[in-house]
Every structure is written in C-alpha cells, then in structure tokens.
C-alpha cells in the first residue's frame, strides 16, 4: 500500500446503507475534511504460541452476525468479501455502486492494517483473503473498521470482527447476540408485561443463550424483569401478575427462575421505602406460592448512589429476604473505566449487605448503560474498556459477569443515551457490532470454564498496600479452572505498562490482549513479564498454578511530594490543588455520596502548571486523572512534561490521539449522533521510572481530553454541549514523586 493510498481525505458526507434504505448524514454540505494518517501496515504476526490457545476447536469460519452494514463475525482465516449479494448474513448488501476510489481497514486503535484502490463503479470489494488483509498484514483477532472514500462524494463504513477459536455459541443472526456475548440474558427479551406471561416464556424455547452451547462452570439463570414502572400507590405488575408468570414457567418446565421485583425503578414511581417493602413482600409471597424454588430479587433500584441512598437500600435489605439485590447502573456510568471508583461503589454496597446479615448476597446489575460516544464522537476503545473493566471489578467481589446486563439495542429507541452495543439504524436491531461487544465476547472466551460466586470469588492479586500506587493503578484476578487457570490483569487506564508475575509454570505461557490477539511469553527463573495496555490482558496457566506479583521499582517507593505545598498559576475551576499531593488516588463517584471527599481532584484550565519543591530525588512519578460526578467519558492526558529547575526530565505527546470523521452507522438515528470517531484519547493514568532530581519540580499539561475529543476537530463536533471546555481543562486527582 502506498502512502497516497493510505492518506486519502475522508469527508463527513456519509452514505449509510441499511435495511431501511440509504440515509445521508450531513447532506447539506461537505465540512472540514481530515486525512487519516496511518503509520504503515501493522507487522504483528500470529505468535508461535497461538496453537496453544486453550479455548478448544475452531468453529466453522466465515459466519456472520449482522444483516445491515458490513459487519461480520469470522472464525479461522477468513476470506471477507463485501458486495451486493443477497446473502445478508455473509456480505454487505449494497444495490448500487460503492462509489469509492480507495479503502482502508483500521484496527482497534485506528491504525491502518490494509487498504488499496478501487473503481468508483465497483459493487464488490474483498478486503481480506485467507487471513491476510489486502495491501497489509496478517489478520489477527480483533475489531476492525472498513472505510471507503472517493475524496468528495461519500464514505461507507462497517465493522468486521475476527475471533479466536471458540467454545461458545456461533451466531446465525442478530437475535443471538446475548448467546455470543455469554454475559447476561437479553433484558429486552425477558421484560415481563402483565397479561403476557406466555410471550416471555416462549422466547426461552428458541433463545440460544439458554438452548445453545453452555459453560457448565458459569450457569445462566433465567431472569425476568418488570416492564412497567408503577406509580405509587398502584402496583404493576401486581402480586397476582407475578404469580401468573410463576405458574406459566412451572407449567412449561422452567421452575427456579429469577424474578426481579416488584416494579421497574420504583423510586421514579414515587414509592416510599415502607411502601416498597410491603409491595415487594406481597410479590414474593405470590411467586413462592406458585414456585417454591423461585428466586425473588429486589428491588430493581434506579441507581444506588444516584436515585437511592445507601441508607434506604439498607432499610430495604433489613426487612426483605431477597435472593439477590438488583441495581441499575446506567445512572452511574461516568466512572465505569475507573477501577478506584468502581471499588468505592461496590465496597460500599458490600458493606451494607454485610450489615444487614447478607454478607454473601449476590448483586445483579440489571441495567447498565456504557457510553460508546459523547458530543457526537464514537469512542470504540473506551467502550471496550468500560464494559470489560466494569465486569472485572464486579467479579472481584464474587458477582459473576452473567449477572451484569448492558443494553444491547434498547436505547436506540429514543432515550438519547449512546449506550448500546449494536449500531442499529433507526432503532433496528441489526447493524455494526461496536468494539465493546467484541471485547465482552473475548472476556467470555478467556474465562470459559472458570467459576465466580460470592462464596468462591477469584483470588485477587496484591500489587501493594490498599490505596497505594500499585493497588490504585493495577488490578488482577486469579481464576481456577479444570483445564487451565486464568489470570486477568488490568491497568487503571495506562497506555502501556508491564508487570512481573512469579508463577509455578516452567514453560512459556499463552497471553491474550483485550482484543484476543495471542502471544507466547517465556517464563524465566519462575517469572514472566506481562505487557499491559488500557484494555484487559489474559494469562493462561496450567491448572492449580500459583501466582504472585513480583516486586517492582515502585513497590516500596515513598512519595517525596506527599504533603508538600502545590502552587499553580493556572485558572483553577474547582477543587483544592493540594489534593494532588495528599497521597491518595481518590475518585469521585456520584458527587461524593460514598464516604470520601466530595471532590478528590482539582480542575484547572489548560495549559495547567503545577509546581512543588522536593528535597530528595525521585526515581519516577505517578499521575492519576479524576473528574466530576457526571463525567461520562473521563479526562485523559494527551500531552505533558515534567521539568526540574527549568530542565525537562520527561515529556509525553500522544500522537495517536486524534478524531477522525468516521461516523457511527447509526448516525441516521437521532438518539446516537456520532458523526466522528476517536479511537484513542490518551491515558487516564501514568507510571514511569525516570530520574527526577531534588529541586523545583514543575508538571505542565498542555493538552487533555474531556468529553472524548483530544484534538481541535472534537471541540467543533455537532452536539457538543460545552465545546469551549472540551479540551481547555484537565481534571487531575494525584501526582506522586516516587523515591
């Protein structure tokens, strides 16, 4: 591929083709064009250890999930052809010339891995043959975007997913997304409407989530949620309605189901806690009369920490013998990629469970809205991180991922939240799979055969004292399995890092990154070095392995800046600047209703300059960003430097953080106006070993990303509610100088 082939301009005038026809986005004008700057074809090849991937025999290749746009799920070494064929599950259906002169395939970081030229009259396009991208590299597992462009008239985009061999369900059509994800069942299929019990039950018979391939180590309970939101004091569903559902399930041969009672988000229906307790008890009594083996959960909260206080949740738990507590987390989605914040939330809830005598109580997240985009910008990699990190922290408490539900396509029908996993056009359930869905599938593949329960959670790896550098910036879980052990690792948003593990394995180990790309990593003297990034990393070990974290340069380091006075000459918007050297990595959650400082971060306009005097030299530094309670996509670092007495000792500039005029195909739907794509916005945290002499140390942050756009294009994106603040402020929670 020549440089010219990879550097063609892409405009915002998009042609989006789906089941409903052709939709023009930005049809009134062609606005600022921007060049996609590839860094050259990727050179990564399948690892020599790929044959040792411990996930079973490959399923049939070239089977596709979606019907509109050219999204496909492929196994093996695919030959991917995009054309006007009528086979909707295998090709992109386009009954007109594609009208492009060149094309590219971009990986999950927006880097070009293949591309070439084509004729504007072509009605078909082959982008990958026998596992090799045309004009590029070997097609390793991952989530890819296909972009075609004629320089002036239009762009067609679509996503392709290439999977590792699978033990999970291989889908034939869109309704099977839940089975392919192997997370929670699809809430939209099992939302119970009073008087329609048979409709909900009939879906069980054809849903491969229940009828298809199962993981015996991870049961998939049948879960029924209430569709109505009752207004107090009139119940809906009534206790009799729930009884009817229980009777219907037992008659159909499905006893022991899980019922989420009493009604959807009762706080929003005006129910007081005493009224709610009485309502729930009536429903439980009727359900258990119909099916003594039923599991009755509650109370379908609209959001602990946002709509319900911990005290009210505790009052409910003290009075109601629930089989699990159910919570809606979409009102808390702002910090779902922040490990510290998630621990705050779940530890606070776990403490209330214990106080009420339910120390082993299971938690279900029955609505979760992860933001794939904001301010008109789709963020695929952030989407993938949020969905998987949420479940990692969730599982660390023994609460299995099968009990955490993300909206599939539900919000495409009008709520306005860009939270769903399928780019459904005009609310359609078919379309491109977003990167977050694929990352969840990789997680299920990696954890196949492992167990997670409140009584037997995975073992947490220790990275240092609680609240310290390692504990705040890394996380790790060790799972036991019959075929192999799995170690799941994460950074708290760092772009790159590494961890040394002490393992009992003597040979090389297989490692997956968050996109499922395998590699073989050698074990030397009982230790293995694992490279990490912003997504999850999976390490496969022999059964019954021992694993600990080896000491690193920061393990016993002390913070020589702790308690020192911080000076800034920048315009401070909010928060006390002294929080930076308080020695903590605090994270704000829901305005501080968790018992932590209300604002454990400072907000400063850019360029932000922070100065501190240290009398001892440091061996490195740690940075940690924070953000306000409703910061839906976080604050990340794009460019900064550290100087001592005027001499620069470290600098960072994230060249790959850029916004491209590539739309989400569901941009035709007003509830998801994502007309741009940002693949990487920069790190949320940084940990670097570098000599920092004693003296006046100055941290200068010149560029950050708040709202998801790290460059100038982002602040002008249509739909940006506060464009003046998108890239002109930074939210910083901690700055430590480690000696």
């Amino acid at each position: 591929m020549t440089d010219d082939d990879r550097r063609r301009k892409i405009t915002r005038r998009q042609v989006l083709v789906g089941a409903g026809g052709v939709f023009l986005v930005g049809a009134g004008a062609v606005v600022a064009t921007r060049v996609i700057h590839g860094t050259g074809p990727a050179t990564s090849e399948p690892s020599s250890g790929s044959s040792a991937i411990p996930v079973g025999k490959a399923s049939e290749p070239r089977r596709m999930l979606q019907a509109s746009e050219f999204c496909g799920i492929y196994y093996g070494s695919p030959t991917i052809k995009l054309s006007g064929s009528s086979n909707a599950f295998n090709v992109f259906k386009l009954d007109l010339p594609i009208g492009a002169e060149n094309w590219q395939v971009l990986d999950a970081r927006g880097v070009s891995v293949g591309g070439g030229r084509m004729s504007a009259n072509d009605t078909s396009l082959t982008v990958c043959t026998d596992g090799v991208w045309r004009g590029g590299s070997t097609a390793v597992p991952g989530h890819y975007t296909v972009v075609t462009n004629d320089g002036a008239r239009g762009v067609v985009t679509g996503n392709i997913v290439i999977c590792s061999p699978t033990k999970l369900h291989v889908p034939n059509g869109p309704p099977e997304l839940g089975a392919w994800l192997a997370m929670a069942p699809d809430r939209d299929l099992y939302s119970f409407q009073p008087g329609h019990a048979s409709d909900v039950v009939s879906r069980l018979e054809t849903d491969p989530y229940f009828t298809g391939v199962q993981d015996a180590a991870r049961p998939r309970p049948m879960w029924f949620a209430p569709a109505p939101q009752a207004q107090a004091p009139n119940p809906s569903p009534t206790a009799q309605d729930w009884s009817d559902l229980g009777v219907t399930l037992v008659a159909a041969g499905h006893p022991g189901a899980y019922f989420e009672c009493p009604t959807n988000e009762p706080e929003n229906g005006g129910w007081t806690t005493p009224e709610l307790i009485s309502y729930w008890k009536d429903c439980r009594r009727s359900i258990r009369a119909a099916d003594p083996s039923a599991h009755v959960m509650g109370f379908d909260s609209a959001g602990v920490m946002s709509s319900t206080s911990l005290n009210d949740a505790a009052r409910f738990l003290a009075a109601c013998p629930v089989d699990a507590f159910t919570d809606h987390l979409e009102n808390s989605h702002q910090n779902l990629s922040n490990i510290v914040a998630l621990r705050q939330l779940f530890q606070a809830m776990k403490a209330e469970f214990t106080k009420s005598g339910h120390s082993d109580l299971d938690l279900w997240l029955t609505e979760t809205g992860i933001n794939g985009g904001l301010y008109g910008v789709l963020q695929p990699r952030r989407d993938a991180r949020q969905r998987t990190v949420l479940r990692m922290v969730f599982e660390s408490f023994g609460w299995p991922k099968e009990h955490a539900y993300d909206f599939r396509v539900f919000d495409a029908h009008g709520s306005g939240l860009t939270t769903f996993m399928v780019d459904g056009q005009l609310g359609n359930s078919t379309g491109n799979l977003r990167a977050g869905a694929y990352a969840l599938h990789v997680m299920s593949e990696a954890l196949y055969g492992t167990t997670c329960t409140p009584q037997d959670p995975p073992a947490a790896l220790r990275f240092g004292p609680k609240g310290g550098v390692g504990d705040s910036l890394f996380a790790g879980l060790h799972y036991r399995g019959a075929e192999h052990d799995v170690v799941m690792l994460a950074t708290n948003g760092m772009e790159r890092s590494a961890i040394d593990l002490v393992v009992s394995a003597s040979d090389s180990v297989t490692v997956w990154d968050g996109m499922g790309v395998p590699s073989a990593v050698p074990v030397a003297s009982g230790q293995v070095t694992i490279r990490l990034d912003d997504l999850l990393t999976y390490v496969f070990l022999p059964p019954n392995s021992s694993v600990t974290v080896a000491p690193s340069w920061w393990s016993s380091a002390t913070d020589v800046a702790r308690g020192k006075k911080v000076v800034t000459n920048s315009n401070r918007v909010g928060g006390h600047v002294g929080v930076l050297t308080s020695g903590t990595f605090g994270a704000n959650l829901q305005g501080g209703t968790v018992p932590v400082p209300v604002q454990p971060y400072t907000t400063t306009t850019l360029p932000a300059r922070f100065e501190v005097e240290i009398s001892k030299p440091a061996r490195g530094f740690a940075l940690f960003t924070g953000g306000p309670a409703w910061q839906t996509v976080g604050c990340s670092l794009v460019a900064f430097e550290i100087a001592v007495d005027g001499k620069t000792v470290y600098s960072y500039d994230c060249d790959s953080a850029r916004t491209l005029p590539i739309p989400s195909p569901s941009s035709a739907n007003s509830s998801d106006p994502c007309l741009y794509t940002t693949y990487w916005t920069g790190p949320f945290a940084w940990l670097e070993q570098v000599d920092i002499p004693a003296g006046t140390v100055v941290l200068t942050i010149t560029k950050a990303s708040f709202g998801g756009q790290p460059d100038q294009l982002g602040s002008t994106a249509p739909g940006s509610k506060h464009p003046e603040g998108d890239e002109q402020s930074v939210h910083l929670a901690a700055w430590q100088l480690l000696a």
Side-chain angles (χ1 to χ4, degrees):
M1 187 195 323
T2 67
D3 283 347
D4 286 343
D5 290 337
R6 297 202 328 271
R7 295 175 180 267
R8 294 287 180 174
K9 291 181 179 179
I10 295 199
T11 72
R12 219 193 82 223
R13 181 182 173 114
Q14 311 295 344
V15 181
L16 305 175
V17 182
V22 178
F23 304 98
L24 294 179
V25 178
V30 177
V31 299
T33 61
R34 189 171 178 87
V35 178
I36 290 187
H37 295 289
T39 57
T43 57
S44 59
E45 297 288 334
S47 161
S48 59
S50 61
S51 60
I53 299 172
V55 289
K57 184 179 179 181
S59 297
E60 179 183 352
R62 293 182 292 278
R63 296 181 70 180
M64 188 174 275
L65 177 65
Q66 303 300 341
S68 68
E69 296 309 315
F70 44 92
C71 172
I73 295 178
Y74 296 89
Y75 295 87
S77 297
T79 296
I80 303 170
K81 184 175 183 180
L82 316 173
S83 73
S85 167
S86 61
N87 188 348
F89 286 131
N90 288 283
V91 293
F92 174 49
K93 181 170 172 52
L94 183 66
D95 293 324
L96 73 163
I98 295 175
E101 296 176 355
N102 60 82
W103 60 274
Q104 289 188 79
V105 179
L106 307 179
D107 69 7
R109 278 195 179 271
V111 176
S112 178
V113 296
R117 301 295 301 274
M118 61 187 300
S119 167
N121 295 319
D122 286 348
T123 57
S124 66
L125 168 65
T126 301
V127 298
C128 180
T129 303
D130 296 330
V132 178
W133 298 113
R134 286 181 54 206
S137 60
T138 299
V140 297
H143 183 273
Y144 300 92
T145 305
V146 179
V147 183
T148 64
N149 171 55
D150 70 354
R153 286 186 355 206
V155 179
V156 178
T157 65
N159 295 333
I160 289 174
V161 169
I162 297 178
C163 297
S164 299
T166 183
K167 285 185 176 178
L168 297 170
H169 174 73
V170 179
N172 289 301
E176 302 174 10
L177 179 61
W180 183 73
L181 292 173
M183 295 288 166
D186 195 330
R187 184 181 192 275
D188 298 331
L189 297 178
Y190 301 105
S191 291
F192 170 51
Q193 192 69 249
H196 296 274
S198 59
D199 295 344
V200 185
V201 174
S202 65
R203 296 186 184 120
L204 295 170
E205 312 297 336
T206 57
D207 186 353
Y209 183 86
F210 297 112
T211 64
V213 178
Q214 303 290 305
D215 181 353
R218 289 181 170 267
R220 299 179 184 178
M222 296 178 181
W223 157 51
F224 298 91
Q229 183 177 98
Q231 299 299 306
N234 303 310
S236 180
T238 64
Q240 183 60 51
D241 292 330
W242 283 114
S243 175
D244 292 344
L245 178 59
V247 168
T248 305
L249 282 165
V250 170
H254 303 299
Y258 285 70
F259 298 77
E260 185 178 15
C261 295
T263 190
N264 183 53
E265 300 184 349
E267 307 99 317
N268 295 333
W271 294 84
T272 66
T273 301
E275 290 173 332
L276 176 62
I277 291 171
S278 177
Y279 183 8
W280 184 89
K281 286 183 174 180
D282 286 345
C283 294
R284 179 182 185 271
R285 191 161 36 248
S286 295
I287 292 170
R288 294 296 292 270
D291 178 9
S293 65
H295 301 83
V296 185
M297 308 185 297
F299 60 90
D300 204 350
S301 172
V304 173
M305 308 294 178
S306 58
S307 298
T308 292
S309 68
L310 278 173
N311 288 337
D312 283 340
R315 290 172 62 196
F316 174 84
L317 288 170
C320 299
V322 294
D323 292 307
F325 187 81
T326 63
D327 185 34
H328 289 180
L329 202 66
E330 82 276 16
N331 290 329
S332 307
H333 54 246
Q334 73 284 1
N335 276 320
L336 288 187
S337 64
N338 188 324
I339 292 171
V340 172
L342 285 171
R343 286 174 179 161
Q344 278 180 217
L345 172 65
F346 293 145
Q347 284 170 352
M349 297 180 71
K350 179 77 171 180
E352 294 303 329
F353 293 173
T354 301
K355 287 179 185 177
S356 65
H358 300 79
S359 59
D360 288 337
L361 188 64
D362 204 354
L363 174 65
W364 285 51
L365 302 179
T366 53
E367 284 187 14
T368 302
I370 307 289
N371 273 305
L374 188 72
Y375 294 171
V377 178
L378 183 67
Q379 299 138 16
R381 197 166 182 93
R382 184 79 59 85
D383 177 31
R385 173 175 170 76
Q386 286 178 311
R387 296 188 193 278
T388 51
V389 167
L390 165 64
R391 282 166 177 78
M392 179 183 187
V393 180
F394 191 67
E395 291 223 338
S396 72
F397 288 82
W399 302 324
K401 62 183 177 62
E402 290 77 16
H403 297 174
Y405 169 74
D406 281 359
F407 286 120
R408 312 287 198 248
V409 295
F410 180 87
D411 271 2
H413 293 282
S415 78
L417 293 176
T418 53
T419 58
F420 42 95
M421 291 191 281
V422 177
D423 271 321
Q425 292 205 18
L426 299 180
N428 200 321
S429 62
T430 60
N432 280 285
L433 271 180
R434 290 188 171 174
Y438 173 63
L440 287 180
H441 174 76
V442 171
M443 187 179 195
S444 290
E445 292 279 18
L447 296 183
Y448 185 94
T450 65
T451 57
C452 179
T453 67
Q455 297 76 27
D456 187 21
L461 300 186
R462 290 185 56 84
F463 294 87
K466 185 176 180 180
V469 175
D471 179 64
S472 301
L473 299 186
F474 298 96
L477 298 176
H478 179 195
Y479 293 83
R480 302 291 186 182
E483 295 185 16
H484 55 261
D485 286 7
V486 181
V487 174
M488 184 164 59
L489 299 167
T491 71
N492 205 357
M494 286 188 278
E495 182 176 23
R496 62 177 184 269
S497 191
I499 286 292
D500 290 333
L501 297 179
V502 179
V503 297
S504 55
S506 58
D507 204 350
S508 64
V509 298
T510 298
V511 178
W512 285 6
D513 68 10
M515 291 283 108
V517 179
S519 59
V521 182
V523 177
S525 302
Q527 290 195 18
V528 58
T529 299
I530 306 298
R531 304 286 178 187
L532 306 176
D533 58 19
D534 56 308
L535 302 184
L536 301 189
T537 300
Y538 308 93
V539 183
F540 300 94
L541 299 170
N544 300 313
S545 290
S546 62
V547 184
T548 58
V549 179
S552 186
W553 70 269
W554 42 261
S555 298
S556 58
T558 58
D559 178 13
V560 296
R562 183 167 186 173
K564 301 288 186 179
K565 180 181 179 181
V566 180
V567 177
T568 179
N569 61 0
S570 304
N571 180 24
R572 184 167 51 85
V573 178
H576 193 280
V577 72
V579 73
L580 298 184
T581 54
S582 66
T584 68
F585 292 84
N588 181 271
L589 191 72
Q590 296 300 348
T593 52
V594 175
V596 295
V598 172
Q599 188 169 313
Y601 61 90
T602 187
T603 302
T604 310
T605 57
L606 295 177
R609 186 180 187 275
F610 306 99
E611 178 181 310
V612 65
E613 294 277 349
I614 58 172
S615 57
K616 298 179 180 179
R619 291 188 293 159
F621 68 91
L623 287 175
F624 187 60
T625 64
W630 293 105
Q631 56 110 358
T632 52
V633 288
C635 178
S636 55
L637 302 171
V638 179
F640 67 89
E641 72 170 28
I642 295 176
V644 181
D645 296 334
K647 182 180 179 180
T648 300
V649 296
Y650 186 84
S651 63
Y652 170 76
D653 193 343
C654 186
D655 291 333
S656 61
R658 64 190 186 278
T659 300
L660 303 176
I662 300 174
S664 158
S666 58
S667 295
N669 177 7
S670 61
S671 73
D672 184 24
C674 293
L675 302 179
Y676 298 89
T677 295
T678 295
Y679 285 91
W680 175 239
T681 60
F684 302 94
W686 207 252
L687 181 62
E688 191 76 23
Q689 187 173 13
V690 59
D691 289 333
I692 301 175
T696 302
V697 185
V698 176
L699 166 66
T700 304
I701 302 174
T702 54
K703 188 181 286 189
S705 171
F706 176 65
Q709 300 77 251
D711 51 20
Q712 288 185 339
L713 180 61
S715 65
T716 60
S720 177
K721 298 176 182 178
H722 305 287
E724 72 284 354
D726 287 347
E727 44 182 67
Q728 295 182 16
S729 62
V730 64
H731 309 277
L732 198 61
W735 177 29
Q736 296 194 1
L737 300 176
L738 305 170

